């Protein structure tokens, strides 16, 4: 089944889960699309089975809290940043709920966490104005970049380069093997003082970069030339909330939630809004991602919603 404007418009909430007492701050699909793991401000990690559409188990990180969470390539393991006590990144086995390793180094909140799509490398960006490069097999930082401002960062789909959005005004591209030589491309964007960049993502085809903000606009860049292709607005975000924006797996559409519980969808090529979906969320839709393998997506406030299409185009 192919994603089209009509199929997207037909999506409805199929299930709502009320497992959390506070907002869900992050979630991540496993690469096979079969499970999703969420982290919440109530210090819990909830594992869901996407195929059966139900929560499987809940783990807690009461001491350190849990924020940005990412599956690694090993089955049943995740890395996540902390939002209490310190800013160490933790590597957890979900199977037996034991820490495999700690990654200390950042001394302010971690705002970006990106797992390499091809190996055990991951990168983290922090309010301490650094990006750190890590290997899951070692607690020692493998590379450190001091920046001129707060970063958001992500690997490209091939895992050969990573992009850093710095100080909400420039995007720098680095070759992973020689990042210490500096960026091989820098794109300067017009600074918008009304908002800060809160996320950076590549499309799966590697051609586009999506910058999300804590304001009312997203920016879509050409990943090779740095030109701003589209700015997407018209969704509610008056309180400066970090709203997650995502590409669909085919790189054709861009989605974001809003503070009124609705989900907005645009065509990436034309920039035209193709759908406005009502998730009936009780709070801002802070997290939103499309399943990498199946025709479903998830959105979250303090509740988690699974969506399905109601037509098969």
């Amino acid at each position: 089944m192919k994603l089209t404007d009509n199929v997207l418009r037909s999506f409805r909430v199929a299930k709502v889960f009320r497992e959390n007492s506070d907002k869900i701050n992050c979630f991540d699909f496993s690469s096979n699309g079969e499970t999703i793991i969420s982290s919440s401000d109530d210090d819990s990690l909830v594992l869901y089975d996407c195929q059966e559409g139900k929560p499987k188990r809940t783990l807690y990180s009461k001491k350190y809290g849990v924020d940005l969470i990412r599956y690694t390539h090993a089955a049943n393991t995740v890395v996540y940043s902390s939002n209490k006590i310190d800013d160490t990144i933790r590597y957890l086995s979900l199977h037996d709920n034991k820490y495999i390793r700690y990654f200390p180094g950042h001394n302010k909140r971690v705002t970006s966490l990106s797992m390499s799509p091809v190996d055990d490398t991951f990168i983290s960006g922090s309010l301490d104005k650094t990006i750190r490069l890590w290997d899951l097999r070692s607690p020692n930082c493998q590379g450190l970049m001091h920046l001129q401002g707060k970063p958001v960062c992500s690997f490209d789909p091939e895992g050969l380069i990573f992009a850093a959005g710095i100080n909400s005004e420039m995007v720098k591209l680095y070759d992973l093997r020689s990042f210490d030589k500096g960026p091989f491309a820098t794109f300067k964007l017009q600074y918008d003082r009304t908002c800060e960049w809160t996320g950076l993502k590549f499309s799966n085809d590697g051609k586009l970069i999506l910058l999300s903000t804590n304001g009312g606009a997203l920016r879509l860049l050409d990943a090779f030339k740095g030109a701003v292709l589209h700015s997407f607005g018209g969704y509610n975000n008056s309180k400066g909330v970090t709203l997650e924006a995502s590409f669909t797996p085919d790189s054709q559409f861009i989605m974001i939630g809003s503070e009124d519980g609705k989900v907005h969808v645009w065509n990436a090529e034309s920039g035209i809004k193709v759908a406005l979906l009502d998730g009936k969320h009780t709070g801002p839709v802070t997290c939103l991602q499309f399943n990498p393998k199946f025709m479903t997506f998830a959105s979250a406030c303090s509740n988690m919603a699974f969506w399905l299409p109601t037509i098969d185009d």
Side-chain angles (χ1 to χ4, degrees):
M1 186 172 160
K2 200 163 158 293
L3 266 183
T4 62
D5 295 8
N6 282 340
V7 171
L8 274 164
R9 278 193 279 270
S10 83
F11 270 86
R12 298 292 180 268
V13 174
K15 278 198 169 167
V16 178
F17 306 100
R18 298 177 175 84
E19 304 295 305
N20 295 100
S21 59
D22 206 335
K23 85 165 173 137
I24 294 169
N25 53 40
C26 190
F27 65 66
D28 195 34
F29 280 102
S30 58
S31 56
N32 60 12
E34 290 172 10
T35 62
I36 192 169
I37 184 113
S38 70
S39 55
S40 165
D41 287 356
D42 64 13
D43 304 332
S44 72
L45 297 79
V46 183
L47 184 66
Y48 297 88
D49 184 316
C50 297
Q51 289 169 307
E52 292 184 23
K54 62 182 190 192
K56 285 214 292 199
R57 55 194 291 225
T58 300
L59 306 172
Y60 291 94
S61 179
K62 289 283 186 202
K63 184 175 176 184
Y64 303 108
V66 52
D67 202 350
L68 305 171
I69 192 159
R70 301 284 181 258
Y71 273 109
T72 71
H73 301 294
N76 276 327
T77 58
V78 291
V79 285
Y80 67 82
S81 62
S82 323
N83 53 16
K84 294 188 335 196
I85 297 194
D86 64 19
D87 301 286
T88 295
I89 296 164
R90 293 179 165 78
Y91 182 21
L92 178 72
S93 164
L94 301 174
H95 168 68
D96 50 8
N97 196 20
K98 289 196 165 67
Y99 292 116
I100 303 167
R101 199 159 282 118
Y102 298 136
F103 304 97
H106 287 301
N107 54 34
K108 284 190 177 164
R109 191 166 67 86
V110 175
T111 51
S112 273
L113 196 55
S114 177
M115 193 75 216
S116 163
V118 294
D119 61 22
D120 284 339
T121 314
F122 67 98
I123 52 174
S124 58
S126 160
L127 295 180
D128 62 18
K129 299 183 182 175
T130 65
I131 288 175
R132 287 175 180 266
L133 181 68
W134 310 89
D135 186 307
L136 283 173
R137 295 162 295 195
S138 165
N140 304 320
C141 178
Q142 306 293 304
L144 173 62
M145 297 167 55
H146 291 277
L147 304 162
Q148 298 305 302
K150 293 184 286 194
V152 287
C153 56
S154 177
F155 278 102
D156 81 320
E158 263 83 56
L160 297 172
I161 68 166
F162 63 90
I166 300 161
N167 239 8
S168 305
E169 61 181 350
M170 64 180 77
V171 175
K172 297 184 177 214
L173 303 182
Y174 296 86
D175 186 314
L176 189 61
R177 291 157 306 192
S178 56
F179 69 89
D180 47 336
K181 295 186 172 64
F184 65 84
T186 299
F187 310 136
K188 195 147 173 27
L189 277 68
Q190 193 169 353
Y191 183 62
D192 179 357
R193 57 189 171 76
T194 63
C195 61
E196 291 186 344
W197 296 352
T198 52
L200 182 154
K201 289 183 182 180
F202 279 89
S203 56
N204 274 348
D205 64 9
K207 294 176 181 173
L208 303 168
I209 292 174
L210 181 62
L211 290 165
S212 44
T213 71
N214 60 2
L218 304 172
R219 285 180 181 172
L220 186 67
L221 309 188
D222 179 313
F224 299 102
K225 301 189 181 85
V228 177
L229 302 173
H230 297 292
S231 284
F232 303 111
Y235 57 92
N236 292 343
N237 189 14
S238 61
K239 297 186 177 70
V241 179
T242 296
L243 302 172
E244 182 179 21
S246 292
F247 288 99
T248 51
D250 61 6
S251 307
Q252 302 299 306
F253 299 96
I254 284 153
M255 317 174 70
I256 193 170
S258 63
E259 69 183 3
D260 57 10
K262 300 218 173 22
V263 171
H264 299 250
V265 187
W266 295 269
N267 182 300
E269 195 172 355
S270 68
I272 293 167
K273 186 174 286 187
V274 295
L276 177 59
L277 307 168
D278 190 357
K280 305 204 167 33
H281 279 286
T282 52
V285 183
T286 43
C287 306
L288 176 74
Q289 282 175 39
F290 213 94
N291 188 304
K293 292 286 186 268
F294 301 104
M295 190 58 84
T296 172
F297 71 87
S299 61
C301 54
S302 58
N303 302 334
M304 172 75 82
F306 285 4
W307 301 67
L308 291 169
T310 51
I311 59 166
D312 41 357
D313 204 13

